[in-house]
Amino acid sequence: MSEEVAVRWVISGRVQGVGFRWFTLRRAQALGLTGWVSNLPDGRVEVVAKGPSEAIADLEAALREGPQWADVDRVENANFPHEAEIGKFFDVR
């Protein structure tokens, strides 16, 4: 059985205006994760997700690739407080 974890990523590069949030939403929902994805004012994208560690690893691999028109330069991650309120679904903010 997989450990449940919560992670926050900040993705840099050409990641806004290329369908990155919707790509992330579909992938996270397919993996059964909860959390959100949102554009940041500085042009980066923030993703917070909670779920089994294997699913989190799969999402991170997808974030490093991004959708077809994205150009991911950097993916920074940090543990997110497991007890923080993340919600019951994965959505776009």
Side-chain angles (χ1 to χ4, degrees):
M1 188 165 168
S2 175
E3 175 188 10
E4 187 161 285
V5 296
V7 178
R8 176 183 182 260
W9 295 276
V10 177
I11 300 94
S12 305
R14 189 175 68 221
V15 293
Q16 289 192 13
V18 294
F20 203 98
R21 290 179 300 159
W22 304 108
F23 166 85
T24 303
L25 173 70
R26 286 189 302 274
R27 198 58 66 97
Q29 288 176 334
L31 292 167
L33 300 173
T34 60
W36 67 85
V37 57
S38 63
N39 284 339
L40 296 174
D42 63 5
R44 298 180 300 163
V45 170
E46 175 188 50
V47 178
V48 172
K50 182 177 179 180
S53 57
E54 290 89 1
I56 292 291
D58 288 349
L59 180 61
E60 182 168 338
L63 296 176
R64 292 185 182 283
E65 291 295 317
Q68 180 180 1
W69 304 112
D71 185 12
V72 176
D73 291 336
R74 185 173 179 175
V75 177
E76 302 171 64
N77 68 358
N79 288 333
F80 195 79
H82 186 68
E83 65 280 356
E85 183 57 42
I86 292 180
K88 296 181 181 183
F89 304 100
F90 197 95
D91 58 3
V92 173
R93 291 188 174 175

